[in-house]
Amino acid sequence: MPRALTPKQEQFCQVYIESNNATEAYRRSYSTSAMKKSTIHRTAHALMQNSKVAARIRELQDEDRNHHDVTVASLTEQLQDAYG
């Protein structure tokens, strides 16, 4: 079921996964040149509270976790085979 995110919200989610920093993700996804630092921080925090954005971030985190689990498992298996 597709999420109804705007392109900027999706970009925010993607950058948040990369940086783990909502303020940085907001700066890289939205036009902030006329905004105060405190406003950027507050707006980024509010965006993190958006249920659709939060759900998408959880979805991306789960995908990332699953990807890393497979990689770690396969590397462990290869290492065991090499030493076994």
Side-chain angles (χ1 to χ4, degrees):
M1 148 168 120
R3 305 242 181 258
L5 295 180
T6 68
K8 288 184 179 189
Q9 287 173 326
E10 177 65 26
Q11 182 178 350
F12 173 86
C13 294
Q14 297 287 338
V15 174
Y16 179 79
I17 293 300
E18 290 174 19
S19 67
N20 201 34
N21 184 307
T23 302
E24 177 64 19
Y26 193 85
R27 275 193 207 100
R28 290 173 48 191
S29 303
Y30 292 87
S31 176
T32 61
S33 59
M35 296 173 75
K36 293 181 182 179
K37 288 181 182 182
S38 60
T39 303
I40 296 168
H41 178 74
R42 188 172 53 255
T43 308
H45 177 75
L47 190 55
M48 292 290 292
Q49 304 307 308
N50 177 301
S51 61
K52 292 176 185 175
V53 170
R56 179 64 176 144
I57 288 172
R58 281 191 304 275
E59 184 179 87
L60 291 169
Q61 287 171 331
D62 288 345
E63 288 173 11
D64 196 43
R65 241 182 253 113
N66 290 337
H67 173 74
H68 287 296
D69 288 345
V70 170
T71 303
V72 170
S74 64
L75 290 175
T76 301
E77 184 178 330
Q78 288 176 9
L79 191 59
Q80 288 173 341
D81 288 345
Y83 285 109

